[in-house]
Amino acid sequence: MFDEKVLQKIQAGKDNWDQGPLAKSLSKSPEAKPVFTTISGTPVQRLYTPLDIKELDYDIDLGYPGTFPFTRGVQPTMYRGRFWTMRQYAGFGDARSTNERYRYLLKQGQTGLSVAFQLPTQAGYDSDHPLSMGEVGKVGVAIDHIDDMKTLFDQIPLDKVTTSMTMNAPAGVLLAMYLAIAQEQGVSWDKVGGTVQNDVLKEIICRGQYIYPPKQTMRLTVDLIEFCQKNVPKWNSISISGYHIRESGSTAGQEMAFTIADGIAYTQACIERGMAVDSFAPRLSFFFNAFTNVLEEVAKFRAGRRYWAKVMKERFKAKDPRSMMLRYHVQTGGVTLTAQQPLNNIVRVALQSYATALGGAQSLHTNSYDEALCLPTQQAVTVALRTQQIVAEESGATDTIDPLAGCYYVENMTDRIEAEIDDYIKKIDAMGGTLAAIEQGYIQKEIQNSSYRFQKEIESGERIYVGINRYTMEEPPPTGLLKVDMSVGEIKAAELRNYRAQRDQAKWKAALDKLRQVSATNENVMPYVVEAVKAKATVGEICDVWRGVFGEYRPKEFI
Amino acid sequence: MARKIKMIMAKPGLDGHDRGAKLLARIFAEAGMEVVYTGLRQTPEMIVSAAEQEDADVVGLSSLSGVHNYFFPRVVELMKEKGLDDVLLVGGGGGIIPEEDYDSLKKSGMAAIFGPGTPTTEIVSFIENNVRKR
């Protein structure tokens, strides 16, 4: 970006400063610590100048918003056209109480829904399964069948809101229920918008809600993508997630690198299915974390956008620019929240939201300050939503596109993170691809090493965390925490007995038999899943059909 | 040479948050213990049978989905039924286990619940000081 002469002049000026004012200042008072690093452990220089981005070529590396390589954003007007979608992840207890929370959030100006399902549903068990004991309605809403889903979206028009569903191994089952309800509401599938997470690889890497072995679960993932491409064109058929990779201990660079590695694996699998890259890639979406180190996060998002665009163009020969766009949702960092002095978390979330806005996300969930302690109370959820509204309306971050472009530090860090991503992708390719790297435990071990380093830094006091190892105080135990009614489990169990007894048994059995038969072939299962949920088959029953056909995944543990 | 302390790190229930469990498994191993990590989705029966098979001195339970009041006492109960009363039972789950639950969990037979921010060195010394002697 700078010609040789300008750089020489800057180099001379920098040398003078190094030897003059800087040396003098350092001799009088040294800096607070010998090395400064980001929370990811990346060293940070004292000062960044044009000398640190001298390789940067504006047209090639940055370009313009909405054009390749999308470093500056995926849309030409970004937030000047419309803010990101404000989408709070919510769900607890039964469908009725969660429906009330959704309608409250929509009334408060939230623009999209995001369903938190209970763990039994995510793991493909009904609420009355022995493994569901104690878990029903605990960390998400209990959804066992299509009638639960109908209650969940009661009085919510599915052509007006978009819905994101954090559902992975059984993603097709919950999507089928959603689509069936849309039909009942008279909304055709081409008008239904939303996202299913459908990212089973990261379940195996770090999130733990897997059911089937990698190959078989990937087949279901691709079935869903293919089905949506043909029938639900506005649906984001996967949300390739780095969020949980980061939560489980990775650095910012690893988060982006391993997510892109997963993205490559899904793209490859879809192409192997016979789909043309530009037929499905525009509907691949992503999901990332945002930590408190604002500038590192912004660099991560920019680096990810640029790298993904190149992967799609160069590796997969995509032609449609929309195939090259890294469109993503962000959730602020759950693991950055402290149980100690919980109100401090409001500040963390504000900084993380600011990073998200400066980084150019398409939607955002802001965590509530009490989430290190419980599911969020209504008050905490409201503050969280207001936090992103303040960032959107008051901070000015939304007035201009990619405002940190050209910042010597951010551009340097963007390059560095992109190089880190490239390094990991090359290593993973050399191992035989993402699935092989996961099977060898490589990705898991890399994440665990970072998690271990961070813990050691905290315990040695090398890294300061407010309220944890500095500025601590005695506090009374927190009060006013949200408690989920434990009776949901018993109520659901009784309701399920009734539900199973009252449905049309012949229709139900025929639908499951057909699904079982098709699952053993190469045919896309999705149309049969839609029929099964309409015939009142439960989540657990459908997942059991696949357990029978595919077997269950038992991971190796890498410590 | 003294026998190494044998530790089972277990994740009861469907909770997938295992960053803490894996981190502690590594730290216990570095502190000289022999550690077996069960992996996810363990029923109380599976955990107790692992403790019995491995002849464990300590069982660590980690839960961040809010089901500790169901799972922890159930593990204690089954341990007693199997006559494994002298196995040290400890647990944790960050801020998700509220302090108001500590007393009842301890009364049920858990030797300690480690709250958020507990240094890992403190957990290691608690185990070393309270484990059965052989």
Side-chain angles (χ1 to χ4, degrees):
Chain A
M1 285 218 300
F2 306 92
D3 73 36
E4 209 39 54
K5 263 199 181 141
V6 173
L7 285 172
Q8 278 170 12
K9 206 172 147 209
I10 292 169
Q11 183 69 63
K14 170 100 188 320
D15 292 344
N16 279 336
W17 176 75
D18 275 346
Q19 289 146 25
L22 175 66
K24 205 170 141 194
S25 170
L26 285 176
S27 68
K28 275 193 211 143
S29 49
E31 293 173 332
K33 45 188 176 181
V35 186
F36 288 71
T37 59
T38 67
I39 194 163
S40 299
T42 307
V44 180
Q45 288 171 209
R46 176 177 299 116
L47 186 77
Y48 289 83
T49 70
L51 299 167
D52 298 295
I53 55 165
K54 57 185 173 196
E55 307 294 327
L56 195 74
D57 181 311
Y58 186 85
D59 286 322
I60 291 173
D61 298 322
L62 302 181
Y64 293 89
T67 67
F68 187 83
F70 303 98
T71 313
R72 305 207 62 185
V74 294
Q75 295 130 352
T77 60
M78 288 302 290
Y79 307 135
R80 291 168 66 99
R82 161 175 100 69
F83 295 143
W84 57 87
T85 304
M86 299 185 186
R87 195 188 289 285
Q88 298 297 94
Y89 182 54
F92 58 90
D94 63 1
R96 177 60 59 201
S97 32
T98 300
N99 173 266
E100 279 165 24
R101 174 68 67 89
Y102 289 169
R103 287 194 281 134
Y104 169 81
L105 286 167
L106 290 169
K107 211 172 139 199
Q108 298 307 313
Q110 174 168 302
T111 48
L113 294 174
S114 175
V115 186
F117 291 96
Q118 65 171 355
L119 288 172
T121 308
Q122 295 193 46
Y125 296 115
D126 286 337
S127 293
D128 57 352
H129 189 279
L131 269 169
S132 306
M133 293 295 285
E135 310 265 14
V136 177
K138 265 281 172 186
V139 303
V141 58
I143 301 292
D144 293 313
H145 48 64
I146 190 167
D147 289 348
D148 285 335
M149 201 73 159
K150 215 176 286 175
T151 307
L152 188 65
F153 291 99
D154 183 32
Q155 298 173 59
I156 298 172
L158 300 190
D159 53 345
K160 301 271 186 329
V161 296
T162 59
T163 302
S164 170
M165 292 190 268
T166 299
M167 187 48 69
N168 293 281
V173 184
L174 280 296
L175 175 63
M177 290 181 185
Y178 192 84
L179 293 174
I181 289 163
Q183 269 178 338
E184 277 188 27
Q185 284 192 4
V187 178
S188 62
W189 287 357
D190 59 345
K191 298 210 167 46
V192 177
T195 309
V196 274
Q197 203 160 70
N198 198 25
D199 171 7
V200 288
L201 292 177
K202 66 92 177 53
E203 298 298 331
I204 294 171
I205 294 172
C206 63
R207 191 169 173 273
Q209 300 307 321
Y210 43 72
I211 304 179
Y212 313 109
K215 258 206 189 114
Q216 287 78 357
T217 202
M218 280 286 274
R219 176 260 174 104
L220 292 178
T221 293
V222 176
D223 277 5
L224 193 156
I225 295 173
E226 187 184 40
F227 177 81
C228 286
Q229 178 237 321
K230 291 182 181 142
N231 303 288
V232 203
K234 281 162 64 180
W235 196 268
N236 297 311
S237 45
I238 190 166
S239 173
I240 307 161
S241 306
Y243 183 80
H244 320 89
I245 291 173
R246 190 74 178 280
E247 288 289 299
S248 61
S250 86
T251 65
Q254 288 170 338
E255 175 193 358
M256 193 53 79
F258 298 147
T259 309
I260 287 179
D262 288 346
I264 290 172
Y266 293 122
T267 305
Q268 191 63 45
C270 288
I271 288 171
E272 281 164 16
R273 175 67 64 93
M275 300 166 74
V277 64
D278 287 322
S279 76
F280 66 88
R283 295 254 66 108
L284 302 178
S285 67
F286 291 81
F287 173 25
F288 296 107
N289 212 313
F291 273 28
T292 313
N293 188 324
V294 173
L295 300 175
E296 181 174 52
E297 294 305 309
V298 173
K300 173 189 81 182
F301 293 130
R302 300 174 85 245
R305 268 197 299 271
R306 185 158 74 204
Y307 194 83
W308 180 249
K310 290 184 199 166
V311 164
M312 294 312 284
K313 190 175 186 175
E314 290 158 17
R315 183 191 280 237
F316 292 114
K317 312 291 177 216
K319 297 273 181 298
D320 185 344
R322 293 177 309 148
S323 299
M324 304 170 200
M325 294 177 188
L326 185 92
R327 296 175 305 118
Y328 60 91
H329 172 69
V330 169
Q331 179 168 340
T332 56
V335 80
T336 70
L337 305 179
T338 59
Q340 298 86 341
Q341 305 174 46
L343 289 175
N344 294 345
N345 294 327
I346 296 175
V347 181
R348 295 192 175 100
V349 171
L351 287 165
Q352 295 163 4
S353 308
Y354 192 52
T356 304
L358 295 172
Q362 280 57 61
S363 73
L364 173 62
H365 164 103
T366 34
N367 287 330
S368 299
Y369 62 80
D370 55 3
E371 284 188 75
L373 298 161
C374 61
L375 287 194
T377 55
Q378 185 136 313
Q379 184 195 32
V381 168
T382 309
V383 172
L385 179 59
R386 295 290 178 253
T387 302
Q388 50 175 310
Q389 288 164 339
I390 289 169
V391 170
E393 303 281 0
E394 299 181 22
S395 76
T398 52
D399 293 340
T400 188
I401 301 168
D402 187 25
L404 288 172
C407 163
Y408 310 126
Y409 176 44
V410 170
E411 293 296 0
N412 176 277
M413 179 98 80
T414 304
D415 289 349
R416 189 153 45 175
I417 292 178
E418 191 187 1
E420 187 184 344
I421 299 168
D422 189 52
D423 191 44
Y424 271 124
I425 297 299
K426 289 198 171 110
K427 273 191 197 138
I428 290 168
D429 281 345
M431 286 175 199
T434 312
L435 269 178
I438 295 170
E439 274 160 17
Q440 293 166 36
Y442 170 72
I443 293 176
Q444 298 91 314
K445 280 187 268 187
E446 287 292 295
I447 298 169
Q448 283 164 33
N449 286 339
S450 298
S451 151
Y452 178 81
R453 173 189 57 75
F454 180 76
Q455 182 70 21
K456 288 285 173 189
E457 286 174 2
I458 294 291
E459 294 197 10
S460 68
E462 197 182 316
R463 186 171 303 281
I464 303 304
Y465 215 92
V466 174
I468 301 284
N469 59 4
R470 196 172 288 179
Y471 315 113
T472 55
M473 59 195 258
E474 287 297 317
E475 296 175 89
T479 52
L481 302 180
L482 186 106
K483 291 245 187 284
V484 176
D485 188 356
M486 284 300 283
S487 65
V488 181
E490 286 158 38
I491 296 169
K492 270 312 266 165
E495 187 271 336
L496 270 167
R497 270 195 301 276
N498 206 18
Y499 191 83
R500 292 196 190 104
Q502 287 184 356
R503 62 192 169 192
D504 179 336
Q505 304 299 324
K507 198 175 157 199
W508 163 78
K509 188 174 179 301
L512 284 184
D513 286 347
K514 183 71 192 168
L515 177 65
R516 184 176 301 112
Q517 182 201 327
V518 169
S519 300
T521 70
N522 290 328
E523 198 181 341
N524 193 311
V525 295
M526 279 304 295
Y528 306 96
V529 181
V530 174
E531 289 314 308
V533 301
K534 285 183 181 169
K536 303 204 170 198
T538 64
V539 173
E541 289 163 351
I542 294 174
C543 289
D544 275 349
V545 164
W546 287 331
R547 284 186 181 96
V549 180
F550 301 145
E552 287 185 71
Y553 178 59
R554 289 275 167 264
K556 276 182 276 179
E557 295 300 340
F558 302 93
I559 301 291
Chain B
M1 207 178 90
R3 181 186 184 271
K4 280 185 167 184
I5 296 172
K6 184 115 193 206
M7 165 102 197
I8 305 273
M9 270 306 288
K11 285 288 301 175
L14 299 174
D15 177 32
H17 295 91
D18 59 359
R19 176 176 177 168
K22 285 177 167 173
L23 182 81
L24 281 170
R26 180 161 169 179
I27 283 171
F28 294 146
E30 282 179 357
M33 301 181 203
E34 195 183 334
V35 189
V36 176
Y37 172 51
T38 60
L40 304 175
R41 294 196 201 169
Q42 302 293 304
T43 60
E45 288 77 9
M46 289 158 85
I47 294 168
V48 172
S49 118
E52 191 177 24
Q53 274 173 27
E54 301 284 346
D55 190 18
D57 304 303
V58 195
V59 174
L61 302 173
S62 162
S63 166
L64 290 98
S65 67
V67 296
H68 49 274
N69 285 336
Y70 171 77
F71 276 98
F72 291 10
R74 183 86 189 111
V75 171
V76 176
E77 207 178 296
L78 287 174
M79 293 289 281
K80 280 185 192 149
E81 276 175 28
K82 294 259 183 186
L84 303 170
D85 306 64
D86 60 341
V87 176
L88 190 68
L89 289 171
V90 295
I96 298 302
I97 303 184
E99 274 176 59
E100 64 191 59
D101 291 354
Y102 289 13
D103 277 350
S104 64
L105 289 171
K106 281 186 194 163
K107 221 171 268 166
S108 82
M110 298 293 297
I113 302 294
F114 299 109
T118 312
T120 54
T121 45
E122 200 180 305
I123 302 175
V124 169
S125 33
F126 180 89
I127 292 172
E128 287 171 348
N129 294 333
N130 291 280
V131 74
R132 63 186 177 189
K133 305 278 179 266
R134 344 202 196 190

